[in-house]
Amino acid sequence: MKVFKAIAWIALISFVVIQFFPTDRNESYTTPTTDFMLVNKVPTEIENQLKVSCYDCHSNNTVYPWYSKIQPAAWFLKDHIKEGKAELNFNEWSNYSDRRKKSKLRSIIKQIESGEMPMDSYTLIHKDAILSENDKKVVIDFITKLKDSIK
């Protein structure tokens, strides 16, 4: 019993201590002129769906949930967002070459079709980010037309 109590105290103290190590936040209050939505004149319906389902991890402006200030969840979110932005950053869209844009658009289509994106770990808490079959079709149709328009 003493060992269990000691472990519980150490865990509690450790949890409190790690709260003093905050993370940088991925927040910007402006939309750059290089943003995917501006460059491609995305229809409102698709824009709203992409912002809800994709932009938290794939842009320079994350809308953080309540638990984002609690460690170790904040560290997990920071790493997840960093990886997401490294893969695709919608705010940097016009800085990509045409070849890279086509590749990213093919990847978006593939990941939506396979259900990889948005990730289950994200939609577990963000229910509004779940894409219905109709949402998937509308987004994929738009992305396909956009991909085909790039020379």
Side-chain angles (χ1 to χ4, degrees), residues 18-125:
I18 65 173
Q19 302 314 307
F20 292 101
F21 296 93
T23 59
D24 296 329
R25 294 176 71 82
N26 183 49
E27 295 176 314
S28 173
Y29 299 101
T30 60
T31 303
T33 57
T34 56
D35 187 74
F36 180 86
M37 303 299 176
L38 296 176
V39 172
N40 296 302
K41 296 179 180 68
V42 179
T44 305
E45 175 188 2
I46 296 170
E47 178 179 349
N48 291 339
Q49 194 62 58
L50 290 176
K51 284 190 174 181
V52 167
S53 299
C54 309
Y55 264 57
D56 276 349
C57 298
H58 296 284
S59 78
N60 296 331
N61 191 24
T62 301
V63 178
Y64 285 94
W66 64 268
Y67 56 85
S68 68
K69 293 185 179 182
I70 301 171
Q71 302 299 9
W75 293 330
F76 171 78
L77 289 172
K78 180 181 178 182
D79 288 342
H80 185 78
I81 292 165
K82 183 178 176 183
E83 288 174 17
K85 285 174 55 177
E87 187 61 36
L88 169 65
N89 187 339
F90 283 110
N91 290 146
E92 302 296 325
W93 183 256
S94 72
N95 294 333
Y96 294 163
S97 68
D98 285 349
R99 181 177 175 198
R100 188 166 185 206
K101 286 177 185 175
K102 283 186 94 152
S103 173
K104 295 300 178 188
L105 292 170
R106 278 192 299 272
S107 181
I108 290 169
I109 292 166
K110 179 183 167 206
Q111 291 182 1
I112 290 174
E113 285 176 339
S114 68
E116 290 177 57
M117 289 289 164
M119 294 176 67
D120 291 338
S121 61
Y122 183 74
T123 58
L124 183 67
I125 295 172

